[in-house]
Amino acid sequence: MRWGMLIDLKKCVGCHACTVACQNENHLPLAMKYCKVYKVGPEGEYPNLTSYNIPIACMHCQEAPCVEGCPSGASHHREDGTVSINPKKCVGCRFCLLVCPYGVRHMNKETGAVEKCTLCVERLETGEVTRCTETCQLKARHVGDLDDPDSELVRIIHKENARPLYEHLGTKPSIYYIMP
Amino acid sequence: MEQKQEYWGWLATGYFFLAAMGAMMAAVVAMLDVLGVTVIDQIYGWVSFAALVITGCGSLLLMVELTHIFRAYLVYARPKSIMCMGSYLLTSFLGLTFVYTTFFIYFVPWSGWVLVRKLVAVLDIVAALGLVVYPGLELAEARGRSFWQGSGLVALFLVSATSTGLAGVLLMLIFFELSGSEYLGVLSTLLTVSLVLQLVLLGSYLWGVRLNGTKEGRQAILNMVKGPYCVNFWGGVVVLGTLIPLGLSILGKMVPFAVGAAALVLIGGLFFRRTFLQAAERISMPGEENQQINDQQTKELAAALESRWMEKARWLKNQCS
Amino acid sequence: MSEYKKVACHFCHMNCGMVAQVEDGVITKVTGDPEHPFNQGAQCPRGASALDHLNHPNRINFPLKRVGNRGAGQFERVSWEEALGDITAKLVELKDTYGAETLSSLGGTNRTDDFARRRFFNLFGSPNVAHTAPVCWIPNFLVEAASYGWAAFDPEIMNTRCVVIWGHNPATSYLPEMRGLLQAKENGAKIIVIDPIFSETAAKADLWLPVRPGSDNALALAWLNVIITEGLYDYEFVEEWTVGFEELSERVESYTPEWAEEKTGVSAELIAQAARMYAAAKPACIQWGVATDQFGRGSSAGAQARAALRIITGNLDVPGGDVMPGPHPEFITDWEMELNELLPESQRQKQLGADKFKLNTWPGYQLLTDNMVRVWGKSIPAEWFCEANAPMLFRAMITSQPYPVKACIVLANNPLVSYANSRLVYQALKSLDLLVVMDYWMTPSALLADYVLPAASWLERPVMTTTYGVSDWLIASERAIEPMFERKTDVDFWRELGLRLGQAEYWPWENDEEIFQYRLAPIGLETDSYEEFVQCYRMAFAPREYRKYQERGVATPSGKVELKSSILEQLGYDPLPHYVEPPFGSEARPEQAKAYPLTLVAGGGFMPFFHSEHREVTRIRLLRPYPRVAINPELAKKMSIHSNEWVWIETPTGRVKQQAFVTSAVAPDVIQAERGWWFPEKPTVDPELMGVFESNINVCLDDDPDTCDEACGSWCTRAVMCRIRKVGEGD
Ligand code: SF4
Ligand code: SF4
Ligand code: SF4
């Protein structure tokens, strides 16, 4: 079992609904975003242009620098493959913020612990989709089990040749993107 | 913006600097001790005591940096992580240096056990080298910050630490008015060599990253040589921290020169760590540069808006009373 | 215990269905309703922030009465009783002195049930209700209605081969629509986007036509030319069901792609290629959009050309084409609720603008209604489709010409930000004897009011979605909670004001639900309450029928689809598509072109805001904190402007500043400024009025009636000559 997600950049319009819905779901401080969305481009010269949007949150790396680097064991892999942080163990050394190549971790000043996207595991466990998937008007997101070759998720990943972001870093992310 | 390294600031810089300086001070005397150089042995105890205090201060900075000091013991929890390994190295170094220092207290029963002392000295050297070397390995863990992944980062840290350690010992010699001893000359020669080496390694490190590095690696170098950190880099690291002390140490072995050189080397060591920590940009996410405001500005705006809404709420309420 | 209420979002027209979780009368969570056909469980960022909006500390919660000078920001809380009593007394006095037409109303889009407003106004006797309708779909709708008896605004994009998106950017405005579009694309439909800006929607298109701002009309004419000269039109349909094809062919003969190339900046080849793509696809459709209503003069001429395109390609009311819904046959529509018949002819004639802009005022509306009633049995509502012309209304407020307009009730609208020529609007509002504003917030316009009344938002009111009363379906949603504090719905407001003015017999219902229940009754579902309908049925869609003209005929005077519109002709307008030069372009004003070398596009919705709303919802605001003007890198370089630097935007009418957004999405000689900007955090006193003149692009737009669309009075927000410069120290 390994939870994973697929984000279809052909569909995403960069509306930030996922950003906001996630903030509400997780009761985040106003300025803290587990999921950011960047607009790429337009690249080229008017009128020969291309542009797309890309949401970025924790990639739930299998070879996670944050987990490897965490001295206290607060950052860890769950059995379902997601990377999780135990706030009771976090000492606040911020080493994980330094080593995460995707820049998706945040120090929550209120709790003194580091936080990031949880892939809504509590929701996944009750059969719901993640909040960002639910709220996406464009249906650009899919969640599922990457270990199950018959899952809808794996099927689309193969069909669309979806790839993780910055594979060359070798972190083996569990988030895949359909490139535009 | 967010690619900048803003997570480890002055506290971490201070820790790396003090730990390196303390460790190499201790290593220098331990080495001399093991080699049987006895002329200045009256200050071995004092130097290693100073190393203990300096490194101790460094580790305090490290503790202060944690958000949960009372859980600090958890930094020993996962020996597999490099940071945890660093904690063990630090602790062993502090312990060994403490023990080593006690050999120089005359009323301590074991103060005469020379062989044991030398054995402790050897262990201390190992711990000190480890302590000096691991930050380079630690930073190299950041896969998205390719500036730290050039080959030779470890060597660079080692050489810089050696310079600061030598500078520390030099200052102690002078403090104890041993400036007449021939070792002042030896140490300052060593310092000269170390500084030359430092200059060469620094240059080749930056060249290496420039040639083989990624976009963000090259950006880090630009930040250092032309960008926001160029004053620290050129002024602090290169000129004040290396070239002037090099000149001074070549010029003469006189006390004022030596004091000046040593003090500048320390400043240089501090700036070296500061710029190297700061400059390492993270690989940027596609489109990340297009944000209208960065995280810090977002935080400030959020706070400003919220407090303004409260003010307006009071205004609206006053109309209603 | 948790209750789940089926509510509908009012933050934009989409009215996405939501589920509100209510615990002991407090809403704890609002999520998308998975059973709702539009959003299918999703929410945009506004919808996802519903609770921030509901519980915001700056919401207006009690009626306020002005105590200091107008604009001084001094109010005192009064009871509803007192506020309504005062307003009634003042209205009676003004009506006695100046006549009923002295009362006007300005409305916003879709937070309200505007049949109630019109019912009140008809009973009161004033024809002077206005919205931003002339720049928001109404010209397109009415021109279509004049050509074929209703608008074909329900394109079946799921079954189509080609979708034309004309001056519309659903990727930043109506996301459920965008989802449909991308699905259509997956189904194999070709997407053509016509937009001077490389919009988020254009980025996903198969073909993007980067027209020069304001030149859409020329493009449409050239498409007609290509399709007719190359014989790509639907012979059979044209032959059997249309009149005026000969005249049309003759008319468009000179509008060749080469002619259009010069106007649009798009190569003749690409124009022809796109026209062929559209005409060859069977079926194809042109989606609704509002940018084409915002050209000022020539807006409805452009709409005529697009209507003709839909007709001659044979896409009218066919599966996968431009489906023309018509009114719902059963439930009581907005039109039926308005009591237009009670407004005397003498008062109709006084409608401001009716003598100049005749299509969307009583003269045109009457003609259209006669035809629609003949064919459909019902007409379109007078709200939106038959209104006073706002630029004329503001001028009447200031000059008392042709007669004094002394009172205005503003509901769900912030006219200082949403109408062109903001400084004139300001002058107009300040000339009034009575200004009442009902809103969620203390807006700049509300600051000028004599009474500010607290409005209930969508979680506190039932919502019935009927697309301004012109769809053949409805979706019903309930309230999650009773209005908080002393907030009220607009229906409550109009009713209670009506009761005080002797309209009691026309307001037999106690609340919104009773009215909605009354309106639903003819469907015959025998539900005991409105809530029961919501819980059990929620929707009523008329059975989909195509080619309804075959059985019903066409709601035009000729009974045919009119390529040459007899209604327009009768009103004194050119009945055929024709070219009109954009009123603020270099073609029309060559003498200004030198001083103002750039072209301003002052419109376009953008996430996460809806018009001038949501600036005070912190979470939303942080996504787009400051106004941005899009500038091409080449231009930015020339003027040494960097991203996020403040830039003055100047036209002969005014200047405002916005932050530079350097992007190649705009052409080097075009800039696009964001609209709707004011700053709720800024000082609340006149004349600063929360920065309403600082970045609000409407300050730069002229609404001189002579530059407005001939038939509908639309003012120009696109293709306006302008210049920019960097904001310097101290200016
Ligand atoms: S909600 Fe969907 S479309 Fe919007 S930004 Fe997120 S992933 Fe993209
Ligand atoms: S994206 Fe960052 S935080 Fe998430 S698992 Fe990978 S390294 Fe850790
Ligand atoms: S698109 Fe957003 S604002 Fe519009 S109705 Fe849907 S959730 Fe509400």
Side-chain angles (χ1 to χ4, degrees):
Chain A
M1 161 94 252
R2 178 159 72 93
W3 288 116
M5 186 185 277
L6 173 71
I7 307 179
D8 186 346
L9 303 187
K10 285 188 187 143
K11 290 192 173 147
C12 175
V13 292
C15 73
H16 287 99
C18 43
T19 311
V20 171
C22 162
Q23 286 187 317
N24 282 325
E25 180 82 4
N26 295 297
H27 309 287
L28 300 187
L30 286 164
M32 194 194 283
K33 297 166 186 166
Y34 285 175
C35 171
K36 290 190 183 176
V37 186
Y38 299 118
K39 181 182 171 87
V40 188
E43 268 147 29
E45 239 173 73
Y46 189 94
N48 300 311
L49 302 166
T50 56
S51 169
Y52 67 98
N53 302 281
I54 182 165
I56 295 204
C58 174
M59 302 290 170
H60 296 278
C61 311
Q62 283 174 274
E63 304 276 331
C66 60
V67 173
E68 283 156 31
C70 178
S72 71
S75 285
H76 62 282
H77 278 108
R78 291 166 39 108
E79 283 194 358
D80 57 16
T82 57
V83 171
S84 166
I85 302 167
N86 178 347
K88 294 211 184 80
K89 277 197 186 173
C90 177
V91 291
C93 68
R94 300 181 189 76
F95 186 50
C96 54
L97 280 94
L98 207 73
V99 296
C100 169
Y102 299 96
V104 296
R105 293 186 154 238
H106 308 269
M107 169 55 78
N108 186 337
K109 287 257 164 61
E110 286 158 32
T111 61
V114 171
E115 291 179 4
K116 61 160 193 75
C117 154
T118 61
L119 208 65
C120 290
V121 278
E122 310 84 30
R123 290 176 63 107
L124 293 176
E125 275 165 4
T126 60
E128 286 179 294
V129 296
T130 67
R131 183 75 179 96
C132 54
T133 306
E134 173 182 77
T135 203
C136 180
Q137 294 268 21
L138 279 296
K139 296 205 190 301
R141 294 171 179 264
H142 305 265
V143 272
D145 182 2
L146 287 167
D147 279 348
D148 174 3
D150 300 325
S151 68
E152 175 82 358
L153 181 71
V154 174
R155 208 182 47 74
I156 313 180
I157 287 177
H158 284 311
K159 189 171 143 237
E160 302 284 342
N161 191 24
R163 310 242 50 112
L165 184 66
Y166 297 156
E167 274 181 294
H168 66 273
L169 298 174
T171 61
K172 302 211 177 124
S174 302
I175 311 296
Y176 285 75
Y177 292 91
I178 298 179
M179 292 313 285
Chain B
M1 285 181 261
E2 267 70 79
Q3 297 99 290
K4 291 215 175 110
Q5 198 295 98
E6 284 164 342
Y7 309 115
W8 279 5
W10 276 112
L11 289 175
T13 307
Y15 159 70
F16 281 137
F17 169 70
L18 293 175
M21 175 180 170
M24 287 317 280
M25 281 170 74
V28 168
V29 288
M31 211 110 64
L32 294 173
D33 189 12
V34 173
L35 293 176
V37 181
T38 50
V39 179
I40 50 167
D41 59 355
Q42 57 263 57
I43 67 156
Y44 286 173
W46 286 113
V47 173
S48 68
F49 178 67
L52 187 65
V53 172
I54 289 170
T55 316
C57 288
S59 23
L60 279 183
L61 294 184
L62 194 63
M63 300 266 283
V64 173
E65 171 110 310
L66 301 182
T67 51
H68 287 286
I69 280 198
F70 298 111
R71 282 183 207 155
Y73 64 90
L74 281 171
V75 298
Y76 299 113
R78 261 189 87 251
K80 271 208 292 199
S81 77
I82 179 91
M83 203 174 172
C84 188
M85 209 170 84
S87 313
Y88 281 113
L89 283 169
L90 176 61
T91 318
S92 345
F93 172 75
L94 287 173
L96 287 163
T97 310
F98 175 74
V99 174
Y100 181 69
T101 308
T102 60
F103 284 102
F104 297 92
I105 305 174
Y106 67 91
F107 56 77
V108 171
W110 56 83
S111 58
W113 304 359
V114 176
L115 217 62
V116 183
R117 189 183 82 208
K118 292 202 174 186
L119 191 70
V120 173
V122 171
L123 292 176
D124 202 21
I125 292 169
V126 174
L129 289 179
L131 189 58
V132 166
V133 159
Y134 98 91
L137 299 174
E138 182 170 81
L139 296 181
E141 291 273 294
R143 302 188 201 196
R145 301 180 190 272
S146 73
F147 176 64
W148 290 336
Q149 271 148 23
S151 53
L153 189 63
V154 166
L156 192 52
F157 268 84
L158 183 63
V159 171
S160 160
T162 310
S163 305
T164 52
L166 287 169
V169 178
L170 253 177
L171 285 177
M172 298 267 316
L173 271 180
I174 292 163
F175 181 78
F176 283 94
E177 297 183 342
L178 292 168
S179 46
S181 81
E182 58 182 286
Y183 290 98
L184 187 65
V186 174
L187 282 176
S188 68
T189 310
L190 281 176
L191 185 59
T192 313
V193 174
S194 177
L195 285 175
V196 171
L197 209 57
Q198 181 173 318
L199 206 57
V200 173
L201 281 178
L202 183 65
S204 58
Y205 188 81
L206 298 188
W207 264 116
V209 176
R210 224 195 102 163
L211 289 185
N212 308 321
T214 57
K215 187 163 144 255
E216 60 282 1
R218 289 196 299 277
Q219 183 58 45
I221 293 178
L222 273 184
N223 289 345
M224 278 169 67
V225 301
K226 290 198 191 140
Y229 317 120
C230 71
V231 175
N232 282 0
F233 177 72
W234 290 114
V237 182
V238 179
V239 178
L240 281 186
T242 317
L243 292 179
I244 297 186
L246 195 58
L248 289 176
S249 64
I250 291 171
L251 265 184
K253 309 273 179 257
M254 271 111 75
V255 174
F257 286 136
V259 172
L264 287 176
V265 165
L266 293 186
I267 294 175
L270 191 65
F271 276 111
F272 163 71
R273 283 169 182 78
R274 174 72 176 160
T275 40
F276 261 58
L277 275 183
Q278 268 190 316
E281 289 212 347
R282 172 171 56 66
I283 180 171
S284 72
M285 298 299 112
E288 194 169 0
E289 69 284 359
N290 289 339
Q291 291 181 100
Q292 197 175 6
I293 55 175
N294 65 24
D295 282 4
Q296 187 52 33
Q297 292 164 319
T298 308
K299 255 181 224 154
E300 283 159 18
L301 182 61
L305 289 178
E306 285 292 297
S307 82
R308 177 64 181 140
W309 305 153
M310 289 338 267
E311 211 174 283
K312 271 181 89 177
R314 282 193 295 278
W315 168 70
L316 276 172
K317 208 161 175 193
N318 284 341
Q319 325 272 1
C320 297
S321 55
Chain C
M1 209 199 67
S2 305
E3 272 181 288
Y4 293 90
K5 297 285 193 175
K6 295 184 178 180
V7 294
C9 177
H10 247 182
F11 291 153
C12 82
H13 303 185
M14 215 62 223
N15 277 187
C16 293
M18 306 271 162
V19 181
Q21 185 178 343
V22 185
E23 266 151 87
D24 302 322
V26 178
I27 306 176
T28 51
K29 196 167 186 182
V30 182
T31 48
D33 180 354
E35 287 159 19
H36 196 279
F38 297 170
N39 58 315
Q40 303 176 6
Q43 289 170 312
C44 78
R46 299 181 288 251
S49 315
L51 290 179
D52 292 357
H53 187 276
L54 182 74
N55 300 317
H56 197 288
N58 294 163
R59 282 284 295 270
I60 304 284
N61 294 327
F62 305 99
L64 299 173
K65 176 183 172 174
R66 174 169 69 81
V67 288
N69 288 336
R70 203 183 274 290
Q74 284 161 324
F75 297 89
E76 70 178 16
R77 178 176 165 185
V78 291
S79 65
W80 269 102
E81 204 55 39
E82 186 181 338
L84 290 168
D86 287 4
I87 296 169
T88 308
K90 191 76 194 170
L91 287 180
V92 170
E93 181 199 318
L94 291 170
K95 185 175 179 179
D96 286 348
T97 320
Y98 302 109
E101 63 279 10
T102 203
L103 173 62
S104 62
S105 180
L106 292 166
T109 55
N110 211 44
R111 283 58 141 213
T112 44
D113 282 299
D114 282 347
F115 66 83
R117 178 194 323 243
R118 186 57 69 116
R119 194 175 178 96
F120 174 87
F121 266 77
N122 282 334
L123 292 166
F124 188 82
S126 171
N128 288 327
V129 174
H131 288 83
T132 48
V135 292
C136 186
W137 193 43
I138 302 311
N140 266 302
F141 190 107
L142 292 176
V143 165
E144 286 183 58
S147 313
Y148 35 79
W150 203 267
F153 66 89
D154 207 354
E156 280 196 344
I157 60 171
M158 281 318 152
N159 306 315
T160 199
R161 310 292 313 152
C162 176
V163 190
V164 181
I165 309 286
W166 207 314
H168 185 41
N169 187 10
T172 55
S173 49
Y174 304 110
L175 303 182
E177 233 179 75
M178 189 63 191
R179 183 190 63 238
L181 193 66
L182 292 180
Q183 258 160 35
K185 194 178 173 194
E186 272 179 18
N187 295 351
K190 289 271 178 272
I191 313 284
I192 303 177
V193 171
I194 298 161
D195 201 318
I197 319 287
F198 185 65
S199 67
E200 289 75 1
T201 308
K204 316 256 183 218
D206 293 293
L207 188 64
W208 169 46
L209 297 183
V211 290
R212 225 170 255 150
S215 69
D216 305 54
N217 189 3
L219 180 76
L221 291 167
W223 275 22
L224 285 170
N225 173 294
V226 173
I227 293 170
I228 293 176
T229 27
E230 299 189 7
L232 301 173
Y233 58 93
D234 186 328
Y235 290 89
E236 218 173 295
F237 181 76
V238 165
E239 187 65 26
E240 214 169 316
W241 284 103
T242 70
V243 294
F245 184 70
E246 285 307 309
E247 287 100 322
L248 177 71
S249 314
E250 224 165 274
R251 175 60 67 85
V252 300
E253 223 165 275
S254 56
Y255 300 131
T256 60
E258 290 69 29
W259 166 84
E261 173 173 327
E262 199 199 310
K263 309 272 181 215
T264 60
V266 179
S267 72
E269 215 172 297
L270 191 57
I271 293 175
Q273 183 202 334
R276 288 181 203 120
M277 190 179 200
Y278 165 64
K282 299 265 180 253
C285 55
I286 303 179
Q287 254 206 342
W288 78 293
V290 304
T292 52
D293 297 314
Q294 302 178 6
F295 296 142
R297 283 172 60 85
S299 299
S300 38
Q304 282 173 272
R306 273 185 306 280
L309 282 169
R310 291 190 172 103
I311 299 167
I312 64 170
T313 50
N315 286 310
L316 205 59
D317 218 15
V318 300
D322 300 296
V323 175
M324 183 160 59
H328 193 283
E330 284 156 346
F331 70 74
I332 297 178
T333 63
D334 283 27
W335 174 71
E336 291 167 278
M337 292 297 295
E338 286 178 339
L339 302 180
N340 294 313
E341 59 283 7
L342 295 187
L343 185 71
E345 183 55 37
S346 57
Q347 288 306 98
R348 294 179 183 184
Q349 280 173 10
K350 290 184 188 156
Q351 190 171 47
L352 287 163
D355 51 346
K356 191 170 168 76
F357 308 116
K358 294 186 185 151
L359 188 58
N360 61 341
T361 47
W362 271 103
Y365 181 70
Q366 191 59 58
L367 292 176
L368 291 168
T369 295
D370 293 345
N371 283 289
M372 287 174 176
V373 170
R374 188 187 81 234
V375 168
W376 303 105
K378 298 182 184 183
S379 179
I380 50 179
E383 278 294 280
W384 298 93
F385 298 93
C386 172
E387 297 200 330
N389 177 259
M392 306 275 264
L393 182 67
F394 294 132
R395 282 163 178 76
M397 288 175 183
I398 297 169
T399 64
S400 292
Q401 292 303 324
Y403 52 76
V405 173
K406 288 291 173 195
C408 185
I409 300 177
V410 176
L411 218 142
N413 186 216
N414 185 0
L416 282 176
V417 183
S418 54
Y419 288 88
N421 212 344
S422 309
R423 290 193 189 273
L424 182 115
V425 176
Y426 171 74
Q427 223 188 322
L429 295 183
K430 288 198 82 168
S431 312
L432 293 168
D433 285 355
L434 176 69
L435 175 59
V436 178
V437 172
M438 188 169 181
D439 208 308
Y440 308 137
W441 314 100
M442 185 62 81
T443 62
S445 306
L447 265 178
L448 298 179
D450 300 290
Y451 295 89
V452 182
L453 305 175
S457 51
W458 52 270
L459 287 158
E460 308 163 280
R461 61 176 293 153
V463 172
M464 207 156 88
T465 312
T466 63
T467 312
Y468 300 93
V470 295
S471 61
D472 62 346
W473 46 263
L474 70 80
I475 302 182
S477 310
E478 60 193 327
R479 338 180 177 234
I481 52 171
E482 286 301 314
M484 295 164 73
F485 306 98
E486 290 183 14
R487 301 174 191 168
K488 277 184 194 291
T489 69
D490 53 306
V491 168
D492 291 335
F493 168 71
W494 294 118
R495 176 174 175 273
E496 286 176 27
L497 202 56
L499 295 182
R500 283 174 174 75
L501 284 160
Q503 305 175 358
E505 65 173 300
Y506 297 103
W507 298 98
W509 316 280
E510 289 281 322
N511 54 31
D512 300 57
E513 282 86 349
E514 281 185 22
I515 298 187
F516 290 162
Q517 173 72 355
Y518 160 78
R519 295 180 61 185
L520 289 171
I523 301 181
L525 289 170
E526 290 175 359
T527 44
D528 288 334
S529 67
Y530 177 70
E531 288 84 352
E532 193 184 326
F533 177 83
V534 174
Q535 289 291 341
C536 303
Y537 301 99
R538 191 148 203 211
M539 301 164 223
F541 278 73
R544 173 118 309 178
E545 291 163 22
Y546 302 100
R547 299 188 177 87
K548 295 181 275 293
Y549 50 84
Q550 292 182 344
E551 271 159 45
R552 291 172 174 267
V554 182
T556 56
S558 63
K560 294 258 175 152
V561 173
E562 298 188 0
L563 288 164
K564 179 183 177 195
S565 165
S566 56
I567 289 183
L568 286 175
E569 191 159 37
Q570 202 178 331
L571 293 171
Y573 300 115
D574 187 336
L576 287 164
H578 55 283
Y579 180 70
V580 181
E581 52 197 30
F584 295 100
S586 54
E587 231 179 314
R589 310 188 166 203
E591 74 290 353
Q592 278 180 2
K594 241 198 150 117
Y596 298 94
L598 302 173
T599 301
L600 166 69
V601 175
F606 58 100
M607 272 292 160
F609 300 120
F610 185 57
H611 302 312
S612 65
E613 276 198 87
H614 293 107
R615 264 72 178 177
E616 50 285 270
V617 181
T618 313
R619 221 180 275 284
I620 293 287
R621 178 71 181 280
L622 292 174
L623 298 173
R624 270 296 184 89
Y626 306 111
R628 292 199 315 196
V629 51
I631 301 176
N632 184 283
E634 199 178 294
L635 178 62
K637 197 164 161 212
K638 206 165 81 193
M639 318 231 14
S640 1
I641 291 169
H642 299 101
S643 269
N644 300 337
E645 284 178 340
W646 289 93
V647 171
W648 286 116
I649 305 162
E650 302 175 336
T651 68
T653 312
R655 71 163 194 185
V656 294
K657 59 181 176 185
Q658 301 200 350
Q659 283 191 352
F661 169 45
V662 178
T663 170
S664 37
V666 290
D669 56 351
V670 172
I671 62 168
Q672 183 189 30
E674 287 178 355
R675 68 195 161 95
W677 275 100
W678 58 288
F679 304 94
E681 68 275 20
K682 295 211 166 169
T684 45
V685 286
D686 194 13
E688 174 134 23
L689 295 175
M690 300 182 249
V692 77
F693 301 117
E694 243 170 67
S695 297
N696 164 16
I697 197 63
N698 274 322
V699 168
C700 298
L701 300 182
D702 195 356
D703 65 343
D704 177 351
D706 289 336
T707 63
C708 292
D709 178 57
E710 304 87 326
C712 294
S714 322
W715 48 95
C716 177
T717 78
R718 317 262 166 170
V720 176
M721 276 190 268
C722 75
R723 63 182 174 216
I724 57 170
R725 70 184 169 82
K726 196 143 99 175
V727 174
E729 297 279 324
D731 84 331

